[in-house]
Amino acid sequence: MTSTLFDLSGRTALVTGSSQGIGHALARGLSGAGARIVLNGRNMTKLETCAEELRAEGCSVEVLAFDVTDHDAARAAVDRFEDGVGPIDILVNNAGMQHRGPLEDFPADAFERLLRTNISSVFNVGQAVARHMIARGAGKIINIASVQSALARPSIAPYTATKGAVANLTKGMATDWARHGLQCNAIAPGYFKTPLNQALVDDPEFTAWLEKRTPAGRWGNVEELVGACIFLSAPASSFVNGHTLYVDGGITASL
Ligand code: NDP
């Protein structure tokens, strides 16, 4: 019984924004639990390179390039995959971006881009995939939120707004779709060294602050998000719905 709780054999998982960073680590981790993985991003060359690397490690990999901010493109790509290749059992809405700047000078176009990339994307791809999941009466959706779903920090107010919305959209998805057999949840990562955070990684003052502020006393490693993602993708989480699971070294637990 226990061995099947976290088994993803025979499942297919689409991870948006999986050509690098957290999405890449989650895709590889889901593959380790037995899933066929579908890589997504906007850059086909980058995706093909990633796919080759993962195939060389023994992963079963498909590639589905589309821009998650484009509602019609997301719908068309998902429908094409479902019709031509097979069902998407697990969706990880991971693609996202950051833009830093004082709120009083924040460019309106950057604000719009953040909204489209971090929150419209979750609606776009979530809706496209959920339509098929609802028809099958089963599916797992995992949205990547952030510690900024709960807490603000200077210079990232718009990002904070989008991640608060991701956590609440997750509750809405669960409320509408649990009755159809879907489990919709979120993972809220703390601070992980990825290209999105390069400015912070390069700033020794930030690392010193982070090590002091985080009870675990360090940055997270992207592989440390995999366990939460497998749990929320697997039979083990069959009655977990609308939850945001913080994987943050305790940063949101303490002042
Ligand atoms: P990265 O910038 O390292 O990776 C982002 C990925 O998303 C890339 O693969 C990129 O590929 C893809 N992407 C970006 N925009 C689009 C788009 N419009 N359509 C399709 N794909 C897109 O980010 P991280 O790995 O750091 O972050 C991943 C998620 O985790 C984000 O939602 C982020 O907010 C969240 N997060 C990250 C934390 C961290 O510490 N790093 C902490 C908390 C949350 P391409 O550009 O080729 O399209």
Side-chain angles (χ1 to χ4, degrees):
M1 169 67 177
T2 321
S3 63
T4 59
L5 280 177
F6 297 97
D7 183 13
L8 301 182
S9 305
R11 311 283 163 85
T12 296
L14 166 62
V15 183
T16 68
S18 42
S19 58
Q20 63 183 44
I22 289 174
H24 189 256
L26 294 181
R28 175 188 263 136
L30 292 175
S31 171
R36 168 169 65 173
I37 51 177
V38 188
L39 301 182
N40 160 265
R42 293 163 297 182
N43 182 331
M44 195 59 179
T45 315
K46 222 160 98 182
L47 286 172
E48 287 295 358
T49 307
C50 277
E52 279 317 308
E53 284 167 10
L54 289 169
R55 284 187 192 116
E57 293 174 18
C59 304
S60 170
V61 188
E62 306 285 340
V63 167
L64 196 59
F66 63 90
D67 184 336
V68 294
T69 67
D70 184 334
H71 184 266
D72 293 346
R75 170 74 62 92
V78 166
D79 288 353
R80 198 171 63 242
F81 188 92
E82 286 263 346
D83 293 345
V85 186
I88 296 167
D89 307 291
I90 300 158
L91 166 65
V92 184
N93 274 314
N94 164 80
M97 62 167 289
Q98 178 61 287
H99 185 102
R100 298 182 178 85
L103 188 55
E104 61 277 18
D105 296 324
F106 210 88
D109 63 332
F111 187 86
E112 290 293 332
R113 207 163 56 248
L114 275 162
L115 290 182
R116 283 199 306 275
T117 308
N118 293 0
I119 183 68
S120 302
S121 62
V122 176
F123 165 72
N124 292 341
V125 191
Q127 185 191 58
V129 173
R131 290 167 65 247
H132 295 278
M133 290 176 166
I134 288 168
R136 287 190 287 272
K140 301 276 192 180
I141 297 181
I142 297 120
N143 300 323
I144 303 303
S146 165
V147 288
Q148 268 82 42
S149 297
L151 301 170
R153 251 188 72 73
S155 84
I156 56 166
Y159 179 86
T160 305
T162 65
K163 290 300 181 176
V166 169
N168 249 17
L169 182 54
T170 304
K171 289 180 184 171
M173 286 176 162
T175 301
D176 278 19
W177 296 338
R179 74 193 65 232
H180 297 292
L182 276 62
Q183 286 88 50
C184 306
N185 293 287
I187 295 172
Y191 284 88
F192 291 77
K193 288 185 180 177
T194 68
L196 178 131
N197 272 335
Q198 201 54 50
L200 305 180
V201 174
D202 293 342
D203 176 359
E205 256 181 53
F206 181 84
T207 293
W209 172 82
L210 184 70
E211 288 172 354
K212 226 170 132 195
R213 176 66 182 79
T214 308
R218 61 173 174 83
W219 286 85
N221 302 311
V222 286
E223 291 73 24
E224 291 177 298
L225 291 162
V226 168
C229 193
I230 291 174
F231 167 58
L232 294 175
S233 301
S237 57
S238 56
F239 201 54
V240 181
N241 237 318
H243 184 67
T244 295
L245 177 49
Y246 283 83
V247 182
D248 66 355
I251 201 165
T252 49
S254 80
L255 260 180

